[in-house]
Amino acid sequence: MPEGTTVSADANAPTLSNWVNIGPSLVGIALTLVLPSRAAPMPVVPVKRGRLLVTTAALPVLLAVFVLATILLPLQGEGYILGKFVLLMLLPAVLLLVVRGSVRIETRRGAWRWWAPVLVLAVWFYLSEVAPWNPPYDPGDVDTSLLITAALVTAITAGIGEELFFRRWLQTRLEATLGAWAGIGVTSVLFGLMHLGSHGTGDLWLDVARVIAIQGCLGWFLGVLWWRYRNLTMVILAHLIINGWGVLVYLVGQG
């Protein structure tokens, strides 16, 4: 990790400098905090504290079951996808449908909730995907049809599913119970730890440090983006870019 690390579990994923891995997220956080300079806060307000405590406790339990399953079983391939869908999408959705009305977000109207995150994502996108220090995506000898299928499944379970779970559902409730910055921080660490099973090397403590530093830093960026603008579309777009831009460029090049 001192010399760099990969951000993907793919066999052909290159090893990148740690600054290349975390730099775009740090710049994205800084820009989010200043654009616009006078944005109205949009706090999360507890509505029914009993229901808030139930849902806030249950969501990390579902996450823990998923992480342990990826490490101990381990879940791989279709099992990993199914486990993520059930534990991080289906069951949380059912839980929050049954135990509803626990929090309310004090949203504000304004065009800044769209133009500001667009500017932030434009700069972040250049640094994280387009800048010359980012190597091209290499899928190896993976069949094109399989690559497209995997990209679509990842878009649903990671780009949409993970942002619903971590930002819209979990972070929102942790903000209501712990405060905004503590809520973002705890969610970011948990987001990093979620990658243990898919990004592990077998050295548990090194893996923990790595996913908290790399994926956790990305989680901070996505968490601040959600807290500042309450625009889930922009947060999901950022995650879709992370997982899909390289694949898209590769497929266009093959065409």
Side-chain angles (χ1 to χ4, degrees), residues 198-247:
S198 59
H199 291 64
T201 64
D203 187 333
L204 179 60
W205 295 114
L206 178 61
D207 290 340
V208 168
R210 184 176 64 170
V211 297
I212 290 178
I214 305 302
Q215 282 76 25
C217 188
L218 173 63
W220 268 98
F221 169 54
L222 297 173
V224 171
L225 200 69
W226 167 241
W227 163 76
R228 179 75 162 168
Y229 305 121
R230 302 301 185 197
N231 190 327
L232 192 63
T233 299
M234 290 291 103
V235 181
I236 290 175
L237 176 61
H239 205 138
L240 291 174
I241 290 172
I242 295 163
N243 293 130
W245 177 255
V247 176

Side-chain angles (χ1 to χ4, degrees), residues 2-176:
E3 298 178 358
T5 187
T6 61
V7 293
S8 171
D10 295 340
N12 295 308
T15 298
L16 302 179
S17 160
N18 290 320
W19 284 111
V20 173
N21 280 325
I22 69 174
S25 295
L26 296 177
V27 172
I29 291 170
L31 288 176
T32 302
L33 293 176
V34 299
L35 289 176
S37 58
R38 297 183 178 180
M42 290 180 280
V44 182
V45 179
V47 176
K48 297 180 179 180
R49 291 193 175 273
R51 297 185 179 188
L52 174 59
L53 292 176
V54 169
T55 54
T56 305
L59 291 174
V61 170
L62 291 172
L63 175 62
V65 172
F66 173 73
V67 172
L68 289 174
T70 62
I71 296 173
L72 300 178
L73 291 180
L75 288 180
Q76 294 180 347
E78 295 178 355
Y80 182 87
I81 295 171
L82 180 60
K84 179 180 286 188
F85 174 75
V86 172
L87 292 168
L88 301 188
M89 295 180 69
L90 180 60
L91 292 181
V94 172
L95 169 69
L96 297 178
L97 183 63
V98 174
V99 189
R100 63 178 68 185
S102 59
V103 294
R104 182 181 72 254
I105 302 174
E106 298 286 355
T107 55
R108 306 283 189 270
R109 292 185 177 181
W112 61 271
R113 292 182 58 199
W114 289 94
W115 67 257
V118 165
L119 290 179
V120 171
L121 289 189
V123 175
W124 167 82
F125 169 69
Y126 172 78
L127 295 175
S128 65
E129 304 294 336
V130 181
W133 50 76
N134 293 288
Y137 175 74
D138 178 14
D141 58 357
V142 176
D143 180 74
T144 299
S145 60
L146 178 60
L147 181 63
I148 294 173
T149 300
L152 292 174
V153 171
T154 300
I156 295 171
T157 59
I160 298 175
E162 288 179 16
E163 291 314 310
L164 281 172
F165 182 88
F166 285 99
R167 254 55 70 174
R168 182 59 182 88
W169 296 338
L170 181 57
Q171 179 181 314
T172 299
R173 283 159 178 79
L174 287 175
E175 284 186 45

Side-chain angles (χ1 to χ4, degrees), residues 166 184-194 211-212 216 219-220:
F166 285 99
I184 294 171
V186 172
T187 304
S188 301
V189 170
L190 294 177
F191 177 73
L193 293 175
M194 187 269 296
V211 297
I212 290 178
W220 268 98

